[in-house]
RNA sequence: GCCGGAGUGGCGGAAUUGGCAGACGCGCCGGAUUCAAAAUCCGGUGAGGGCAACCUCAUGUGGGUUCGAGUCCCACCUCCGGUACCA
């Protein structure tokens, strides 16, 4: 057995760890704590792909490393197990989603354990566990019980919501309604993304290019009564909170853009009868700008109040509530047709193609509050109902979209910003022929002429405010979170709707009492959606559907929560996974939070990470957690692509076509520039050679071929299965290879030969310590109980230093490279001191834990290697008595000299100048400048 | 279009943040061992030139700063990822 045999030693150590509870985490940390978290997987039927172990290995190394340095580590794993695929499977096969989900979880667990990750498996959770989603529902009730006090910028209990007198005067029902309108979880008729194929509505974030992110099915916009979460109230907090986080700047930027804060002004344009205009103006001047627009005004939001003098028309979205009243009789039919068409258009159709602007005139006019001019009001779908006020003032001279629309419908263009005098198109801009969207100096703006854009913005906003026709305003792109799904396989809402004796809704809602949680999913006969936007839970038995409480009858909410719900707070539950009394024990929460390191894919940059930050902030406001942000440090692992593929092209007669002439036509077919249809063929690297930047055929260097690594996908057939790698090379090799490929954050292609390379390294490590010729497992004869000599000592301590520092910095690839150098060095040594071997095996253990345990035991170590102390390096062992440094002449290395590393500057220069070769090189020249960097180099500038 | 990230040998990638470009691995070439092979061990390997010691050129392209640039500045090219009428 003395050969390295991972398939034997790996399972042995895995069961050792399990039976000895090696990685069980105490309830509370002693000393420094470290919470190292992976984004938990969705347990799909395909099992793990090689992208999963990349991040998981990285965190496992960090966790094992931290433990050996004396920290108490929390490193848990779980499953994000609600979601569509299991339900689709159920619809197809009739098998309950729970059955398939459990099977997949079992398979994932097997695979994760096979890779030797040091998770505390006693803390494993699944979002589908009733004991877990009981608390997901509980948090929903917290959201339901919270309103956002914008003055304090804080979520507060709904009881504390001040009720205006005019509301309380109208009785209890109105008070309840008022409260409902302020809860963070509320119901609204939302224009939702209804996907008939999936039989569900989708969140904006789940729709891409008008198609469902999952499956790519068309999505229609229909109005539906939905649960919404008021995430927009937290926009400012979510934005500010980013500042202190140690996250990749790219991710922060994505979240900032997603939140999309902009500042500007809201402005009311008068739309009432002409005769009343003066009295309206007077009213406004007296009463100020109302929080809601009255029916004599059309309110817009603009980021460029400075261009108000150039507002020559207005546009309202087709869904705007005033469309009907603004439309005059003679335009009615046209407007109705237009709005109807717009409502049936999916987002895809609305944004697809050349996106030429469409719109119709309403027949009405509004009054520009600064010029007093009448401007026409149009209806067009380039204005979005959901952003700002759903209406705009159009300034075609200084907004590209308005300019395009104005050109198309021949509306007037009045430039009000003077471009810089050296602007190439200045004349055209001033003539209204070209749009200028940048800042400049005001013109055609009455008293504001001559001021800069920034100055005018402030001045006009002030004037509007004092006239009661406008005020400064902030807007966000972020929309409230559409939180309900018409699906079976999700968390039921803990909400009851009161029904009267006839079974009709009374409009009264109540929360399921906390002691009755969880609301479990009902047993259903079949899971099929019925093609209507109505949830499958509505098909449940009356026993489930109807509830009597305090003498009243209720029907349960039948929507379910979206998949994001469970993943919004799972990091909290790991800390106290089996607490039946509360979400989390406050003492434990205080001890473990926040997460110190969170690793996962960048695809969750906005959705998951924004949603969980939102929930966390609500829990924080309500006193359930003590830190304002959940994830202190975030690292995104890069994508792992398939093996590099070389693709050549052949025409119909099988003649090769050079790749640079191959393009895609409109249907996506590959064609040569001369129109011949070509087909791609996979090429063998051996038939190719590099020529300049590209690869060409050896047989015909004029023919280029493409070389590229593609995303792994079933259809391309380039998916690498971790099971196969473990079987062929071992888990330690897989772990090591994934870390050795390159920096964690980088996108990198898989190469099977590279796995062989790290396996070869482990074989060498094995032979450095084990006598592979013996019949029994014994130490190699060269492993001796002696002290290290000087060079062995230096190699060992250099390795300790480099591996320690690189592991700390998560530069795993270079740490591994250093361990390879160590192994190369000691393989050449006749004697290998046992103490050095022991230290080395500890360094290796976070990376390749199984082989490290085995060698540790053989070297006479007791206990698990995981319980050993990480070695420290001695600076004194690193210093060399002499170093070789270059002597440069005019910046080019000419000569190398040996000096002591601490030689001072002047002495270095003397030594360099004393060297015969240097003397020869500068013979007859004058030294203009002398540079010496201690321990590094000498540079002489000569003429 | 806009916003990110990246371009270094045949390939994956290293380079104290301005100081010996190419660590380490793959691949390739040579040697030892072997009857032979596998495995292993040892050595070589950016390109071009020279018998040689050596010389010249090299970090996407073109400029610049500097004694010295893969690293800093300016302009451009290519690829990858994200995003798309947000007023």
């Amino acid at each position: 057995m003395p050969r390295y045999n991972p398939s034997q030693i790996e399972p042995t150590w895995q069961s050792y760890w399990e039976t000895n509870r090696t990685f069980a985490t105490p309830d509370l940390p002693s000393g420094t704590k470290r919470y190292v978290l992976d984004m938990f997987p969705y347990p799909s039927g395909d099992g793990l792909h090689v992208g999963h172990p990349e991040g998981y290995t990285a965190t496992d190394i960090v966790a094992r490393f931290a433990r050996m340095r004396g920290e108490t580590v929390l490193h848990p794993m779980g499953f994000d197990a609600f979601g569509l695929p299991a339900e689709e499977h159920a619809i197809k096969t009739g098998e309950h989603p729970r059955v398939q989900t459990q099977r997949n979880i079992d398979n994932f667990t097997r695979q994760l354990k096979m890779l030797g990750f040091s998770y505390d498996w006693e803390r494993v959770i699944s979002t589908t566990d009733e004991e877990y989603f009981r608390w997901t529902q509980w948090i929903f009730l917290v959201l339901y019980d919270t309103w956002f006090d914008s003055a304090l910028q804080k979520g507060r209990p709904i009881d504390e919501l001040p009720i205006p007198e005019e509301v309380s005067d109208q009785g209890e029902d109105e008070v309840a309604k008022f409260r409902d309108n302020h809860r963070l979880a509320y119901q609204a008729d939302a224009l939702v993304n209804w996907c008939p194929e999936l039989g569900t509505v989708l969140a904006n974030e789940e729709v891409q290019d008008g198609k469902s992110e999952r499956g790519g099915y068309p999505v229609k916009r229909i109005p539906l009564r939905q649960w919404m979460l008021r995430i927009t109230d937290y926009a400012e907090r979510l934005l500010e909170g980013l500042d202190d986080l140690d996250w990749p700047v790219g991710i922060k930027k994505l979240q900032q853009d997603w939140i999309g804060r902009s500042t500007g002004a809201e402005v009311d344009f008068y739309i009432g009868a002409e005769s009343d205009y003066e009295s309206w103006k007077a009213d406004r001047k007296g009463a100020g700008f109302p929080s809601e627009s009255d029916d004599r005004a059309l309110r817009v939001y603009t980021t460029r109040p400075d261009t108000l003098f150039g507002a020559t028309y207005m546009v309202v979205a087709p869904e705007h509530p005033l469309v009907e009243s603004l439309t005059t009789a003679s335009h009615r039919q046209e407007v109705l047709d237009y709005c109807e068409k717009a409502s049936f258009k999916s987002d895809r159709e609305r944004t697809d193609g050349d996106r030429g602007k469409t719109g119709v005139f309403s027949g009405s006019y509004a009054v520009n509050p600064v010029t007093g001019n009448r401007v026409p009001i149009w209806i067009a779908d380039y204005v979005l109902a959901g952003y700002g006020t759903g209406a705009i003032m159009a300034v075609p001279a200084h907004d590209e979209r308005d300019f395009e629309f104005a050109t198309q419908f021949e509306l007037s263009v009045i430039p009000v910003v003077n471009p810089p005098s050296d602007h190439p198109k200045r004349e055209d801009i001033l003539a209204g022929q070209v749009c200028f969207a940048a800042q400049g100096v005001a013109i055609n703006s009455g008293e504001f002429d001559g001021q800069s854009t920034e100055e005018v913005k402030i001045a006009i906003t002030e004037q509007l405010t004092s006239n009661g026709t406008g005020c400064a305003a902030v807007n966000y792109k972020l929309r409230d979170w559409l939180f309900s799904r018409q699906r079976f396989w999700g968390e039921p809402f803990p909400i009851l709707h009161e029904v009267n004796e006839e079974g009709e809704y009374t409009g009264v809602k109540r929360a399921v009492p906390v002691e009755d949680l969880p609301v479990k999913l009902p047993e259903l006969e079949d899971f099929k959606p019925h093609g209507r936007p109505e949830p499958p839970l509505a098909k449940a038995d009356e026993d489930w559907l109807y509830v009597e409480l305090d003498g009243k009858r209720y029907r349960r909410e039948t929507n379910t929560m979206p998949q994001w719900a469970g993943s919004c707070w799972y990091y909290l539950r790991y800390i106290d996974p089996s607490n039946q009394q509360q979400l989390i024990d406050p003492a434990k929460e205080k001890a473990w939070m926040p997460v110190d390191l969170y690793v996962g894919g960048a695809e969750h940059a906005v959705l998951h990470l924004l949603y969980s930050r939102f929930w966390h902030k609500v829990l924080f406001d309500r006193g359930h957690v003590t830190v304002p942000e959940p994830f202190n440090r975030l690292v995104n692992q890069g994508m792992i692509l398939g093996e590099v593929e070389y693709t050549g092209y052949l025409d119909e007669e099988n003649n090769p076509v050079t790749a640079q002439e191959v393009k895609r036509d409109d249907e996506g077919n590959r064609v040569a520039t001369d129109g011949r249809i070509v087909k791609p063929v996979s090429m063998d690297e051996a038939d190719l050679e590099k020529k300049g930047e590209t690869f060409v055929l050896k047989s015909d260097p004029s023919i280029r071929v493409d070389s590229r690594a593609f995303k792994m996908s079933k259809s391309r057939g380039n998916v690498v299965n971790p099971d196969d790698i473990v079987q062929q090379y071992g888990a330690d090799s897989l772990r090591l290879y994934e870390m050795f490929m390159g920096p964690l954050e980088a996108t990198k292609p898989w190469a099977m030969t590279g796995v062989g390379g790290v396996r070869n390294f482990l074989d060498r490590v094995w032979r450095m310590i084990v006598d592979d010729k013996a019949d029994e497992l014994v130490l190699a004869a060269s492993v001796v109980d002696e002290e290290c000599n000087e060079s062995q000592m230096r190699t060992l301590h250099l390795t300790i230093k480099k591996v320690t520092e690189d592991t700390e910095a998560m530069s795993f690839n270079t740490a591994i490279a250093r361990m390879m150098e160590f192994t190369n060095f000691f393989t050449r040594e006749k004697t290998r001191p046992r103490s050095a071997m022991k230290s080395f095996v500890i360094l290796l253990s976070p990376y390749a834990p199984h082989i490290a345990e085995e060698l540790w035991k053989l070297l006479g170590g007791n206990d698990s290697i995981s319980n050993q102390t990480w070695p420290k390096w001695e600076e004194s062992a690193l210093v060399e008595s002499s170093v070789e440094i270059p002597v440069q002449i005019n910046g080019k290395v000419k000569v190398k000299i040996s000096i002591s590393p601490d030689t001072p500057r002047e002495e270095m220069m003397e030594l360099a100048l004393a060297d015969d070769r240097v003397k020869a090189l500068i013979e007859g020249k004058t030294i203009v400048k002398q540079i010496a960097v201690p321990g590094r180099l000498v540079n002489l500038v000569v003429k």
Side-chain angles (χ1 to χ4, degrees):
Chain A
M1 127 93 202
R3 285 185 78 163
Y4 169 49
N5 184 2
S7 60
Q8 193 176 15
I9 64 176
E10 288 176 354
T12 307
W13 284 103
Q14 284 155 19
S15 62
Y16 174 93
W17 297 327
E18 192 148 343
T19 47
N20 289 282
R21 300 182 69 233
T22 307
F23 304 114
T25 309
D27 281 348
L28 290 171
S30 47
T32 313
K33 68 96 184 176
R34 187 179 296 252
Y35 188 173
V36 182
L37 182 65
D38 292 303
M39 286 186 189
F40 65 167
Y42 174 76
S44 77
D46 301 330
L48 289 178
H49 58 78
V50 290
H52 287 116
E54 188 191 14
Y56 300 163
T57 304
T59 52
D60 197 55
I61 291 165
V62 171
R64 287 174 178 268
F65 175 64
R67 280 193 207 98
M68 297 173 105
R69 301 221 292 176
E71 299 179 11
T72 312
V73 173
L74 177 58
H75 185 41
M77 182 42 85
F79 302 99
D80 188 15
F82 275 127
L84 281 179
E87 188 166 350
E88 276 157 10
H89 174 85
I91 292 165
K92 243 184 272 165
T93 63
E95 185 178 57
H96 196 287
R98 189 171 295 286
V99 177
Q100 202 222 5
T101 300
Q102 192 53 52
R103 197 164 51 229
N104 291 348
I105 288 176
D106 291 345
N107 189 40
F108 265 67
T109 306
R110 174 190 65 79
Q111 290 185 305
L112 290 167
K113 288 188 174 175
M114 157 187 101
L115 293 169
F117 297 130
S118 62
Y119 297 123
D120 179 356
W121 284 104
E122 290 161 38
R123 290 173 188 263
V124 71
I125 55 178
S126 164
T127 53
T128 51
D129 291 344
E130 283 166 357
E131 268 309 301
Y132 180 86
F133 72 65
R134 165 195 198 160
W135 299 104
T136 309
Q137 291 171 339
W138 184 87
I139 296 171
F140 177 84
L141 292 181
V142 173
L143 290 157
Y144 185 69
D145 185 60
T146 303
W147 66 286
F148 190 76
D149 184 336
S150 45
L152 296 178
Q153 280 289 301
K154 185 176 186 260
R156 296 172 60 190
I158 198 75
D159 309 342
E160 296 177 9
L161 176 70
I163 309 291
E165 217 168 285
E166 63 267 28
V167 174
S168 52
D169 287 351
Q170 292 176 59
E172 268 309 300
D173 285 0
E174 285 306 309
V175 171
K177 248 188 222 162
F178 184 81
R179 286 208 177 101
D180 284 352
N181 285 335
H182 287 81
R183 295 175 190 273
L184 293 184
Y186 65 102
Q187 279 192 298
D189 285 311
L191 264 186
V192 300
N193 305 297
W194 164 246
C195 179
E197 298 284 334
L198 294 175
T200 186
V201 296
L202 301 168
N204 289 332
E205 301 87 281
E206 291 168 316
V207 180
Q208 276 173 4
D209 293 334
K211 290 193 170 176
S212 61
E213 192 190 11
R214 178 180 288 284
Y217 303 116
V219 172
K220 255 169 125 172
R221 292 168 68 76
I222 61 166
L224 202 65
R225 192 113 183 117
Q226 295 289 324
W227 283 96
M228 309 285 288
L229 297 185
R230 228 178 275 280
I231 189 171
T232 47
D233 280 354
Y234 278 79
E236 201 61 52
R237 295 257 305 272
L238 290 168
L239 210 50
E240 275 171 22
L242 289 171
D243 294 343
D244 302 322
L245 297 178
D246 182 7
W247 285 20
V249 282
I251 300 290
K252 285 195 190 183
K253 187 94 188 359
L254 276 171
Q255 289 218 351
Q256 281 160 6
D257 290 350
W258 192 264
I259 295 167
R261 184 185 202 268
S262 70
T263 55
E266 288 193 348
V267 186
D268 278 356
F269 281 58
Y270 180 72
I271 53 172
E274 221 174 321
S275 52
D276 288 343
Y277 181 49
E278 290 305 323
S279 73
W280 179 80
K281 257 170 64 176
D283 287 354
R284 280 302 183 87
K285 186 128 195 157
F289 189 70
S291 66
E292 303 262 326
S293 171
D294 59 73
D295 54 9
R296 289 188 293 173
L298 177 59
R299 180 163 294 182
V300 301
Y301 170 71
T302 177
T303 55
R304 291 291 301 270
D306 62 293
T307 61
L308 194 45
F309 282 84
T312 52
Y313 67 101
M314 302 184 77
V315 183
V316 299
E319 298 87 359
H320 194 279
L322 290 182
V323 165
E324 206 180 313
S325 60
L326 285 170
T327 305
T328 58
S330 55
H331 291 84
R332 178 132 289 140
Q333 198 51 50
E334 213 187 335
V335 169
L336 275 176
D337 289 350
Y338 182 79
C339 292
E340 180 151 323
K341 241 161 90 189
S343 76
F344 281 121
K345 270 196 208 173
S346 69
D347 265 9
R348 172 137 200 104
E349 290 164 308
R350 243 174 159 166
T351 56
D352 211 21
D354 52 24
R355 275 195 285 186
K357 301 267 183 296
T358 60
V360 288
F361 179 45
S362 69
S364 299
Y365 291 84
V367 182
N368 183 320
V370 290
T371 62
N373 295 337
R374 269 161 43 103
V375 295
I377 303 173
W378 285 66
I379 293 151
D381 66 3
Y382 83 91
V383 170
L384 307 176
Y387 183 76
T389 62
I392 61 155
M393 63 176 211
V395 185
H398 306 292
D399 182 283
E400 294 286 353
R401 297 151 301 181
D402 296 342
F403 184 79
E404 195 190 320
F405 190 83
T407 312
Q408 189 165 338
F409 293 99
E410 295 174 346
L411 295 155
S412 59
V413 179
I414 302 174
V416 293
V417 179
N418 198 351
S421 51
D422 58 349
H423 195 284
K425 296 216 170 133
R426 190 157 176 276
E427 295 310 315
D428 292 339
I429 292 163
L430 294 177
Q433 306 288 316
V434 168
C435 174
F436 175 70
Q439 306 206 344
V441 174
I443 48 169
N444 298 328
S445 300
E447 63 194 277
F448 302 102
D449 280 358
Q451 297 185 43
S452 74
T453 295
E454 279 312 314
E455 291 165 340
V456 183
K457 272 186 186 176
I458 295 164
I460 286 199
T461 307
E462 266 172 22
Q463 193 188 75
L464 292 169
T465 308
S466 68
N467 288 336
T469 50
C471 75
V474 175
N475 243 301
Y476 302 92
K477 281 204 257 181
L478 185 70
R479 308 293 154 80
D480 275 349
W481 176 10
L482 178 78
F483 194 67
S484 40
R485 298 290 182 276
Q486 291 67 49
R487 277 292 177 175
F488 173 76
W489 194 228
E491 299 88 346
F493 280 80
I495 292 288
L496 303 170
H497 300 273
E498 191 182 290
V499 289
N500 61 20
E501 276 150 30
E502 282 77 46
E504 293 156 341
Y505 291 122
T506 64
V508 174
K509 284 188 284 286
R510 74 175 279 179
V512 170
V514 169
E515 57 274 17
D516 292 346
L517 297 180
V519 177
K520 297 179 184 177
L521 283 164
E523 292 306 318
L524 287 194
E525 290 298 316
D526 76 297
F527 304 98
K528 283 197 177 51
H530 23 48
R532 282 167 286 142
E534 186 184 300
L537 294 196
K539 294 196 280 188
D541 290 349
E542 301 241 321
D543 289 357
W544 185 87
L545 219 41
Y546 290 93
V547 183
E548 271 202 31
L549 265 181
D550 307 326
K552 284 185 176 147
R553 204 165 134 81
Y554 297 91
R555 188 177 192 264
R556 284 194 196 278
E557 171 65 47
T558 53
N559 282 294
T560 49
M561 299 187 199
Q563 198 183 347
W564 309 109
S567 59
C568 269
W569 72 282
Y570 73 111
Y571 56 92
L572 289 173
R573 193 60 179 173
Y574 284 136
I575 293 172
D576 198 8
S578 48
N579 193 330
Q580 308 237 324
Q581 265 59 56
Q582 51 197 332
L583 178 80
I584 181 171
D585 180 329
K588 294 179 187 170
E589 187 276 334
K590 215 168 157 37
W592 286 109
M593 284 300 287
V595 173
D596 297 286
L597 175 66
Y598 193 24
V599 176
E603 65 273 20
H604 295 110
V606 273
L607 308 180
H608 161 62
L609 289 170
L610 195 64
Y611 292 156
S612 31
R613 290 181 61 223
F614 165 51
W615 277 35
H616 194 87
K617 288 195 178 299
V618 176
L619 292 173
F620 176 75
D621 287 350
R622 295 300 305 272
H624 302 293
V625 295
T626 58
V627 291
E629 288 283 343
F631 313 120
N632 229 0
R633 177 157 186 229
L634 175 76
V635 173
N636 290 125
Q637 88 255 20
M639 205 192 322
I640 295 183
L641 306 173
E643 294 256 356
V644 174
E645 295 172 39
Y646 299 93
T647 313
Y649 299 95
L650 298 177
D651 67 11
E652 283 137 322
E653 271 106 52
N654 285 335
N655 300 311
V657 179
T658 185
Q660 75 216 84
E661 283 176 12
V662 175
K663 299 271 150 15
R664 296 246 183 192
D665 69 9
D666 295 341
E667 280 98 58
N669 300 314
R670 290 188 181 82
V671 291
T673 35
D674 56 14
R676 282 178 295 165
I677 293 183
V678 297
K679 60 182 179 202
V681 283
S682 165
M683 308 291 298
D684 195 330
E685 201 185 339
D687 300 330
L688 307 171
E689 62 185 355
K690 185 103 180 207
K691 190 182 158 196
E693 297 275 89
T694 51
F695 281 91
V696 296
L697 294 182
K698 272 185 186 163
S699 54
D700 180 357
S702 71
I703 302 295
R704 279 195 200 171
V705 302
D706 284 333
S707 105
R708 210 196 130 177
F710 296 87
K711 219 168 164 168
M712 287 190 191
S713 71
K714 267 196 219 160
S715 57
R716 190 167 269 279
N718 59 351
V719 176
V720 178
N721 181 345
D723 283 328
D724 298 341
I725 307 297
V726 170
Q727 205 206 339
Q728 210 181 330
Y729 299 93
D732 283 338
S733 290
L734 175 61
R735 293 170 59 114
L736 220 41
Y737 176 64
E738 297 227 5
M739 295 299 100
F740 188 59
M741 289 171 87
L744 183 61
E745 296 89 341
T747 303
K748 39 210 177 266
W750 187 267
M752 216 46 101
T753 51
V755 191
V758 294
R759 168 62 196 261
N760 192 33
F761 162 61
L762 291 179
D763 278 322
R764 283 167 66 82
V765 169
W766 184 263
R767 284 192 301 267
M768 176 173 74
I769 295 172
V770 177
D771 181 356
D772 66 329
K773 303 275 193 314
D775 294 330
E776 296 294 311
L777 184 59
V778 288
L779 283 177
S782 47
V783 176
V784 292
D785 286 306
E786 284 174 16
E787 295 288 302
C788 286
N789 64 32
E790 196 192 324
S791 63
Q792 290 175 336
M793 199 67 175
R794 187 159 53 244
T795 302
L796 172 65
H797 285 264
L798 267 175
T799 305
I800 295 173
K801 179 178 156 82
K802 182 83 174 141
V803 173
T804 305
E805 289 175 348
D806 286 355
T807 306
E808 257 169 4
M810 297 179 76
S811 300
F812 306 118
N813 53 336
T814 50
I816 294 168
R818 182 63 219 180
M819 289 190 276
M820 287 173 169
E821 287 184 80
F822 178 97
T823 308
N824 291 343
F825 175 86
F826 273 96
T827 296
R828 280 188 292 262
E829 292 292 289
K830 294 273 179 297
T831 63
R832 302 164 195 161
R834 184 196 296 257
S835 58
M837 295 300 109
K838 284 176 103 168
S839 295
F840 172 76
V841 173
I842 295 175
L843 298 181
L844 179 64
S845 69
Y847 292 81
H850 308 89
I851 189 176
E853 288 276 20
E854 190 71 17
L855 294 174
W856 176 252
K857 194 173 128 192
L858 186 64
L859 284 162
N862 44 33
D863 197 1
S864 164
I865 196 168
S866 317
N867 298 325
Q868 306 309 313
T869 306
W870 190 259
K872 289 193 169 62
W873 73 88
E874 300 286 341
E875 284 294 340
S876 60
L878 304 179
V879 292
E880 289 182 85
S881 51
S882 82
V883 288
E884 197 179 54
I885 61 150
V887 178
Q888 300 179 335
I889 310 288
N890 291 338
K892 293 199 189 293
V893 180
K894 294 289 177 185
V895 172
K896 288 179 182 179
I897 57 172
S898 282
I899 59 164
S900 154
D902 48 6
T903 312
R905 217 174 235 113
E906 297 74 25
E907 202 178 317
M908 280 172 75
M909 193 56 69
E910 280 165 30
L911 286 166
L913 290 170
D915 188 275
D916 290 340
R917 292 163 299 176
V918 176
K919 275 185 192 158
L921 282 160
I922 58 174
E923 176 103 57
K925 298 185 172 130
T926 15
I927 298 175
V928 186
K929 199 167 178 181
Q930 306 179 354
I931 298 123
V933 182
R936 297 219 68 97
L937 54 60
V938 170
N939 187 12
L940 301 171
V941 185
V942 299
K943 256 190 199 160

